Amino acid sequence: MSKVFVTRKIDDAVIDELKKSFDVEVWDSEDEAVPRDVLLKKAKESHAILTMLSDQVDEELLAHASHLKVVANMAVGYDNIDVHAAEKAGIIVTNTPDVLTDTTADLAFALVLAAARRIPEAADYIKNGDWTSWSPYLLAGRDVHHKTLGIIGMGKIGQAVAKRAAGFDMNILYHTRSRKSEAEEQFGAQYKSLNDLLEKSDFVLVLAPLTNETRGMIGAEQFGQMKESAIFINAGRGPVVDEEALVDALENGEIAGAGLDVFEKEPISKDHPLLSMKNVVAVPHIGSASTETRFIMMKLAADNIKAVLNGEKPLTKVSG
Ligand code: DGY
């Protein structure tokens, strides 16, 4: 019987379904990543692994995984996997595209709103008992409607954010590898050079995947180009942004605030300077974290495993 290793506790219904056909083992923790040595050992013994974005599937792991046929990542991003090395070893890699598009776009837009309207700060204010009287500028934030949103990385999630932004009468700019005529026609999105987008946007939203080309693409120079009133949002991958430069830009007033779902190193340390800034809204990589969507992601990852181990075509294969 083929062996499947699942690197985190996922829904019992998904595991039970896999157990009907395979010998399944689960790293039974909801919040602790599988230790590296356990992952290496299990990958070596298994025919399939169902991984999280916190698991590094690199050359070292793949070199020892002589039975492995498929790595099913429970995420749309797969920068934690050396897809090229997997392809060379004849191992299929799959991800979970499409099913999380709207949920992740909701979170990205929620960060725009939360950072602009200072929602977490206002929530703390009232809970701390600081509210003594109404006053005209009490916790006054910035408008979102009719402002300019610059989206860097206009994939499916970027386009779903554009749809939401159009509903807020926003002016939408975007920068991405190839033009998206549908978003231009449907939401009036305008394609811009990166420089132009940075200079003109009130909200700069990064959704680009992490690749060799995008690593560190937003740094000191790019923050310097943004408006002083700009709010910077990252809902893509942390290392696309030079975090030290982001801290400097916020400290020096080069930009007005930030909304962050992703960080250079995750989990971010609680002493990180970003977490003590009032004008930073930070959440722990929860872009696709609705119970409905997470269940669908788990199921899709399991269905990919089932397909490959049964000799069928995977549903959502990625290529390097
Ligand atoms: C993904 O699936 O890549 C997202 O970052 C998860 O929230």
Side-chain angles (χ1 to χ4, degrees):
M1 207 183 222
S2 294
K3 278 182 188 253
V4 177
F5 180 62
V6 181
T7 68
R8 201 69 71 94
K9 185 168 168 23
I10 60 170
D11 202 280
D12 285 343
V14 177
I15 296 294
D16 290 346
E17 185 58 33
L18 279 172
K19 278 185 175 166
K20 286 183 189 164
S21 320
F22 312 113
D23 174 5
V24 183
E25 204 184 325
V26 182
W27 174 251
D28 218 0
S29 169
E30 252 165 53
D31 39 35
E32 190 204 337
V34 60
R36 178 75 182 165
D37 58 329
V38 176
L39 179 62
L40 289 179
K41 181 170 175 289
K42 295 299 171 190
K44 196 171 169 182
E45 295 165 358
S46 302
H47 299 90
I49 48 176
L50 194 159
T51 53
M52 310 294 132
L53 49 81
S54 45
D55 302 317
Q56 290 309 313
V57 178
D58 51 17
E59 270 187 330
E60 182 196 22
L61 181 147
L62 294 165
H64 294 100
S66 49
H67 308 294
L68 197 59
K69 293 197 171 114
V70 53
V71 177
N73 210 35
M74 202 190 106
V76 65
Y78 45 88
D79 46 279
N80 58 311
I81 299 174
D82 187 336
V83 178
H84 185 66
E87 267 176 1
K88 256 180 36 195
I91 297 166
I92 289 171
V93 177
T94 66
N95 67 341
T96 58
D98 305 328
V99 297
L100 48 63
T101 300
D102 281 320
T103 301
T104 308
D106 283 349
L107 191 276
F109 206 73
L111 283 175
V112 170
L113 290 169
R117 297 301 303 272
R118 303 170 63 183
I119 304 291
E121 206 186 327
D124 284 349
Y125 185 86
I126 196 166
K127 283 191 180 165
N128 291 340
D130 294 334
W131 193 22
T132 52
S133 75
W134 185 92
S135 73
Y137 281 125
L138 176 64
L139 287 155
R142 286 158 201 278
D143 279 330
V144 171
H145 64 87
H146 297 96
K147 293 291 181 73
T148 297
L149 172 67
I151 302 174
I152 300 170
M154 194 66 149
K156 288 183 179 148
I157 299 169
Q159 292 173 66
V161 172
K163 183 176 179 183
R164 285 150 179 76
F168 278 68
D169 293 318
M170 294 186 91
N171 176 34
I172 303 158
L173 313 180
Y174 75 99
H175 179 78
T176 202
R177 269 187 314 190
S178 53
R179 287 184 70 149
K180 305 286 175 197
S181 49
E182 248 178 64
E184 294 185 14
E185 281 154 27
Q186 285 184 19
F187 315 121
Q190 301 166 54
Y191 180 81
K192 295 283 174 202
S193 69
L194 183 59
N195 290 348
D196 231 19
L197 179 149
L198 296 172
E199 282 165 17
K200 296 201 166 85
S201 299
D202 298 304
F203 297 88
V204 174
L205 166 61
V206 173
L207 283 167
L210 178 62
T211 63
N212 289 339
E213 290 76 47
T214 63
R215 188 178 290 276
M217 82 184 277
I218 306 295
E221 192 187 326
Q222 288 68 34
F223 287 117
Q225 286 173 277
M226 294 180 202
K227 296 181 184 181
E228 281 183 12
S229 57
I231 292 181
F232 175 74
I233 311 288
N234 190 2
R237 283 292 182 268
V240 172
V241 177
D242 175 345
E243 221 161 63
E244 237 180 85
L246 171 61
V247 170
D248 288 347
L250 287 161
E251 275 175 356
N252 303 334
E254 282 177 79
I255 60 170
L260 306 169
D261 183 39
V262 291
F263 303 88
E264 214 162 87
K265 186 175 176 309
E266 296 180 5
I268 189 170
S269 136
K270 77 177 192 347
D271 306 319
H272 196 289
L274 282 171
L275 301 189
S276 59
M277 294 181 183
K278 271 194 165 170
N279 52 350
V280 172
V281 177
V283 294
H285 203 150
I286 55 168
S288 60
S290 70
T291 48
E292 299 95 323
T293 291
R294 283 285 159 90
F295 180 78
I296 297 168
M297 291 165 70
M298 291 168 190
K299 192 164 172 332
L300 177 55
D303 287 347
N304 272 311
I305 288 178
K306 258 199 314 197
V308 175
L309 295 186
N310 288 335
E312 292 157 17
K313 230 173 115 193
L315 291 103
T316 49
K317 177 178 184 291
V318 301
S319 44

